[in-house]
Amino acid sequence: SRTPPAPPRRPAPSTPAPLRLGFSGVLGQSQPPESEPLPWVWTEGVAADADGHLWAASGNRLYRFDRSPTGSRQLALKVELASNATGLRWDGQRLYFGSDDGKLRSLDPREATPTAAVVCACPPRAPFAVAPTGLKKGWAARGALFFLDNNAIKVVKPDGSAEPAISLPRPAKADWKYCSLAMEPATGDLLVGASYPEMKVHRYDAAGKEVTHGNWPRTVRLAGVTSAC
């Protein structure tokens, strides 16, 4: 008898080429496809001015976004700065921001070419607070600008110098620090936040005394994460 021929040998399976995922164009930005992409994915602060323009601080620039006819925000102006900006505040008339070089600056957003002017010297990247224009209550009666300097809040005088306003209590071996500052817009009280693991916001009245009633100091909870800064 004749032996049947062997079946043809199947070729060994080839190793599939690795998958590749490619992107092009503008991703996750509100700017039109034909415009230059924004060179950042986060900011050091945002604020809205009296004309409804939205300002953002990133690197050594401030960016102004105007509302387009479709309702989106589109880049309208860039302001070059002498140093990287930290924080951004609006007092009703001017924008204020800190910097890496240890200076607080401000500018008038309605100027045709906004130029930042030095307001005072402070520790680099110091948290700061501004009093709303027209408020004369509480600490706003003492000054319009305040900043954190380790365990103290200092008030900026009209000549640009600063003097101690509140000495903040902090245990010698504490593993947390004060890291944020704001002014309560109705009373002029100062609010100062503490980092992990303290994670509380403390409130100080015009006499420099900590408010300990009405659920103060308060722990801030955001989406299940407890934080003050």
Side-chain angles (χ1 to χ4, degrees), residues 39-225:
W40 41 267
V41 293
W42 72 87
T43 71
E44 289 283 351
V46 294
D49 65 21
D51 295 321
H53 304 309
L54 185 65
W55 291 79
S58 182
N60 64 335
R61 294 184 181 92
L62 297 183
Y63 298 81
R64 193 191 83 191
F65 296 89
D66 297 353
R67 192 175 296 280
S68 70
T70 61
S72 65
R73 295 278 182 174
Q74 295 186 7
L75 180 63
L77 180 67
K78 290 188 290 188
V79 179
E80 298 287 335
L81 306 174
S83 180
N84 290 341
T86 62
L88 194 58
R89 304 285 186 273
W90 169 251
D91 72 349
Q93 293 183 336
R94 298 180 67 86
L95 288 166
Y96 291 81
F97 52 93
S99 62
D100 285 345
D101 63 2
K103 294 180 176 66
L104 286 173
R105 294 177 169 87
S106 74
L107 61 78
D108 182 352
R110 288 187 170 179
E111 291 180 348
T113 305
T115 303
V118 174
V119 179
C120 69
C122 66
R125 305 182 68 86
F128 68 96
V130 297
T133 299
L135 182 66
K136 298 300 180 184
K137 295 180 180 180
W139 284 101
R142 290 272 304 275
L145 186 62
F146 303 80
F147 64 84
L148 269 176
D149 188 358
N150 291 321
N151 299 327
I153 300 175
K154 293 186 176 180
V155 55
V156 178
K157 298 190 294 184
D159 63 1
S161 63
E163 62 182 12
I166 300 174
S167 179
L168 301 170
R170 179 171 171 266
K173 295 184 179 181
D175 55 353
W176 53 269
K177 63 180 181 179
Y178 294 105
C179 62
S180 60
L181 186 64
M183 177 171 286
E184 203 286 318
T187 63
D189 288 354
L190 287 173
L191 309 177
V192 56
S195 68
Y196 178 87
E198 169 75 357
M199 298 188 302
K200 291 182 179 180
V201 177
H202 301 265
R203 180 171 183 167
Y204 288 85
D205 64 18
K209 296 182 178 180
E210 183 174 3
V211 177
T212 56
H213 56 82
N215 296 322
W216 292 98
R218 296 182 181 180
T219 299
V220 178
R221 299 181 182 275
L222 299 174
V225 179

